[in-house]
Amino acid sequence: MTLQKRIWDLIVLAIFVFAAAFATAPWFAFRALKAAAQYEDVQAIGELVDFPAVRRSLTAELVPAAPAGQPEPPSIWRDPLSVFKQAVEPIVPPEPKVDRYLTVAGVAALTRGYAPGKAPPASTQDSTASGRIKDMVKGPFPQIAYWDPNRARIAVKRPDGSGKVTIFTFERRALFTWRLVHIRLPGDERQG
């Protein structure tokens, strides 16, 4: 009887651990994105961010004249003739406003709660145990604003106390794999 009870307890514990890991996976994906941006790990950022989707969402927020259904620029892998045609055309599009948000420094600033270019320099890390604890408990703290099995929104408040919030939307791609697909900026930054 005790062996059956222990097996049952292990099954219940395994279900609980699985559910907790499944529910907190988007938060860990955000923490991984923040760490990758902080340490300038471009490969990790590429694995955690769906850049075409984020670019479309930021373009819709930052460029008021952009049509909602504007196609993304042609890719040499999907349509090489259109890429060649676009390269030959004399029309030069204006500098996209979203580029500063999609750099490593821009992503690092956003995950810390700041606008790109307005974040104070990251403090040098103290390698002592007390220094690591201080780094872990200082804000801003990401909060899960919305969660369902396939999509989660994580809110990061700006540390200056202004109440501005940046929302990161993650989408589930595999059982425990989440990718950033949308960034909603605070209202004053959306005007450009």
Side-chain angles (χ1 to χ4, degrees):
M1 190 71 146
T2 61
L3 181 62
Q4 288 178 345
K5 184 177 181 337
R6 287 187 181 187
I7 291 173
W8 177 251
D9 290 345
L10 286 175
I11 291 172
V12 170
L13 179 65
I15 291 171
F16 177 75
V17 169
F18 175 82
F22 185 79
T24 58
W27 186 80
F28 283 109
F30 175 80
R31 298 299 293 181
L33 177 64
K34 184 175 180 179
Q38 177 184 357
Y39 294 110
E40 298 178 357
D41 187 353
V42 177
Q43 182 177 358
I45 292 172
E47 292 173 4
L48 292 166
V49 178
D50 182 355
F51 282 104
V54 173
R55 179 173 289 281
R56 281 192 302 270
S57 72
L58 287 173
T59 300
E61 286 185 58
L62 295 172
V63 183
Q70 179 182 17
E72 64 182 81
S75 167
I76 195 162
W77 302 110
R78 288 180 292 193
D79 191 5
L81 293 177
S82 293
V83 172
F84 179 72
K85 180 181 173 186
Q86 186 178 19
V88 174
E89 290 178 353
I91 300 172
V92 177
E95 179 76 21
K97 294 180 180 182
V98 300
D99 284 350
R100 64 186 171 128
Y101 291 91
L102 296 177
T103 62
V104 173
V107 171
L110 287 171
T111 58
R112 291 175 53 208
Y114 294 99
K118 297 185 180 178
S123 63
T124 58
Q125 291 189 353
D126 189 2
S127 62
T128 64
S130 64
R132 289 184 197 151
I133 292 172
K134 286 179 185 176
D135 285 342
M136 285 180 10
V137 295
K138 70 179 179 181
F141 299 108
Q143 300 173 347
I144 295 182
Y146 172 79
W147 187 93
D148 76 17
N150 295 317
R151 188 171 292 260
R153 290 190 177 96
I154 297 177
V156 178
K157 291 183 181 177
R158 190 154 297 163
D160 62 7
S162 63
K164 297 177 183 176
V165 178
T166 303
I167 306 287
F168 296 85
T169 303
F170 286 84
E171 189 174 89
R172 186 167 63 87
R173 299 293 168 96
L175 189 59
F176 293 105
T177 304
W178 294 77
R179 290 189 77 192
L180 180 67
V181 295
H182 185 273
I183 298 173
R184 187 174 67 194
L185 303 171
D188 64 330
E189 290 179 33
R190 287 188 219 154
Q191 282 76 32

